[in-house]
Amino acid sequence: MAQAADVNLQRGKEISYTCHGCHGITGYKNAYPSYHIPRIAGQTDQYLLNALKDYKAGKRKHATMQAQAASFSDEDLANLAAYLSSIKTK
C-alpha cells in the first residue's frame, strides 16, 4: 500500500526503539526465543497499522502490545507502521 503523504518516517524511526526489544528487527532475533514473536519489519503499512489500532482498541489481546499501542497517538501509530514497513528484509 502506498504511504500517505503526511506520514513522518523519521518520527516512526525515532519511536520504533520500543519495538526492538521483542521484535528484534536487526536479524529478527528476540528476547523470548521460546515464544513466537512475529516479524514486523517489511510487513505492509496497512497490516501493521490495523494491528496496532486493534491492540489499542483492545480487539487484539496481548497485554504488552496493548500497553505499547495505547502509549502512542493515532498519528504516531501511522508513522510507526509506515517506518516499519519501509525496512528492507533479506
Side-chain angles (χ1 to χ4, degrees), residues 10-74:
Q10 183 57 40
R11 175 68 179 148
K13 182 177 182 177
E14 290 168 1
I15 61 176
S16 72
Y17 72 89
T18 190
C19 307
H20 293 265
C22 295
H23 293 278
I25 294 169
T26 303
Y28 305 111
K29 295 183 183 356
N30 62 60
Y32 309 103
S34 63
Y35 182 78
H36 174 70
I37 307 289
R39 177 181 61 85
I40 56 175
Q43 292 286 358
T44 67
D45 56 339
Q46 192 61 57
Y47 171 81
L48 293 167
L49 183 57
N50 289 344
L52 289 166
K53 285 183 173 182
D54 284 350
Y55 281 119
K56 187 173 183 174
K59 293 178 184 177
R60 281 190 176 205
K61 305 295 183 194
H62 187 278
T64 301
M65 283 303 303
Q66 287 172 313
Q68 287 294 318
S71 72
F72 293 115
S73 68
D74 288 345

